[in-house]
Amino acid sequence: MTTMRIGAERAAGGSPSSRRGAGRNRLVGAALIVLSLVSALTCAFVFTSWLPTDGALYREYRAAEVCSVRTVIPASEDCLRELSFTVEGTHKTAKNMRATLLGPRPFGRVVVPFSDSGPTLSGLQKGDRVTATVWRGVVVMVAEGDARQHSADAPRDEPQMTAAVGTFAGLLAALAFMFGAMHLVRPRDPGLFTWRPYGKWLLIVTGATCVVVGLGTVWTGLPWLLVPTVCGVVVAGTAWLLHRDLRLGRANAASRPAQHLSRQAQ
């Protein structure tokens, strides 16, 4: 009876638990393919739209000239205009660095965010008079005496971190496609292409590499083109080494029972 049941299960395509596992793997594979497509679109948006737009905005900001004197000040100008503002209040916590300024019309009450506390924000007190530089309706710099500080809204020449975001999305798309394809092609046994340990470590290495390389190129002023190049090489090398080591480890683990049985037979 047992032999007949095993034969029937094989003819039907395996045991019920095996069929459930294969169906689950197909769903996981389809979800990973969708994630791959979304990540690929995100990568394309970063490198074809976000990065060029930020670069063009920074060049326009650097090329802007001082505004001419006029009695009526428009809300938005392509030139740089310095205006006097009064500090209404400040927030200097790590997660909330901003100053609330009161200025002339048409600006009135303006909330200016900052990425760090110095050198201007740290010394501001309620009632202080400051000089704010406005470009296209946005306060891009605040000055008090000799201290000057760009706001978080000012265009910056830091394409490296933007490239790091796009690189991470591109690498995630490649990894998700690779794992998803293996789950669809081999639903009963995707091999090493599972979350633990292969997928987990690849995701950690990919994220950490993009952050470290992105910040490193920002601090050193290296070109953003190095970000996708270095990150791609590191992740590809890690993927190959991990796959090799895991495959050898699995092969060694599978050979131990056979060796044990041969010793017992002897």
Side-chain angles (χ1 to χ4, degrees), residues 41-52 161-167 169:
L41 290 174
T42 302
C43 176
F45 168 77
V46 170
F47 284 106
T48 62
S49 180
W50 184 1
L51 194 62
M161 286 308 300
T162 305
V165 173
T167 300

Side-chain angles (χ1 to χ4, degrees), residues 53-63 135 154-158:
T53 299
D54 280 358
L57 187 66
Y58 178 77
R59 289 190 295 272
E60 291 171 3
Y61 170 61
R62 295 292 296 175
W135 182 67
R156 298 179 181 275
D157 185 26
E158 296 179 352

Side-chain angles (χ1 to χ4, degrees), residues 25-241:
N25 283 338
R26 289 191 182 96
L27 289 176
V28 171
L32 288 173
I33 294 297
V34 173
L35 174 62
S36 174
L37 292 175
V38 173
S39 299
L41 290 174
T42 302
C43 176
F45 168 77
V46 170
F47 284 106
T48 62
S49 180
W50 184 1
L51 194 62
T53 299
D54 280 358
L57 187 66
Y58 178 77
R59 289 190 295 272
E60 291 171 3
Y61 170 61
R62 295 292 296 175
E65 298 179 353
V66 178
C67 297
S68 60
V69 179
R70 55 191 307 175
T71 56
V72 179
I73 301 174
S76 180
E77 301 174 281
D78 280 331
C79 52
L80 300 172
R81 184 175 295 278
E82 292 187 350
L83 298 170
S84 180
F85 283 76
T86 301
V87 178
E88 183 184 62
T90 59
H91 288 270
K92 304 173 185 178
T93 61
K95 296 183 179 179
N96 188 9
M97 298 185 186
R98 59 185 174 88
T100 304
L101 308 179
L102 297 176
R105 300 179 64 179
F107 300 101
R109 189 171 181 268
V110 178
V111 177
V112 183
F114 293 91
S115 57
D116 54 71
S117 61
T120 304
L121 179 62
S122 58
L124 292 183
Q125 302 293 331
K126 183 178 181 180
D128 288 347
R129 297 288 292 177
V130 297
T131 300
T133 302
V134 181
W135 182 67
R136 294 184 178 178
V138 176
V139 174
V140 294
M141 183 180 292
V142 176
E144 184 188 31
D146 295 332
R148 302 172 68 86
Q149 183 176 356
H150 278 96
S151 72
D153 292 330
R156 298 179 181 275
D157 185 26
E158 296 179 352
Q160 296 91 340
M161 286 308 300
T162 305
V165 173
T167 300
F168 176 78
L171 292 173
L172 180 61
L175 295 177
F177 181 81
M178 180 173 62
F179 277 71
M182 292 300 295
H183 277 72
L184 292 176
V185 173
R186 299 172 54 186
R188 297 188 186 282
D189 181 21
L192 296 174
F193 293 89
T194 55
W195 171 243
R196 291 185 178 180
Y198 195 35
K200 177 182 178 181
W201 278 109
L202 280 182
L203 185 61
I204 292 174
V205 170
T206 301
T209 302
C210 290
V211 171
V212 171
V213 175
L215 290 175
T217 50
V218 169
W219 294 335
T220 57
L222 294 173
W224 68 264
L225 289 171
L226 287 175
V227 177
T229 303
V230 174
C231 291
V233 171
V234 171
V235 173
T238 302
W240 182 80
L241 290 173

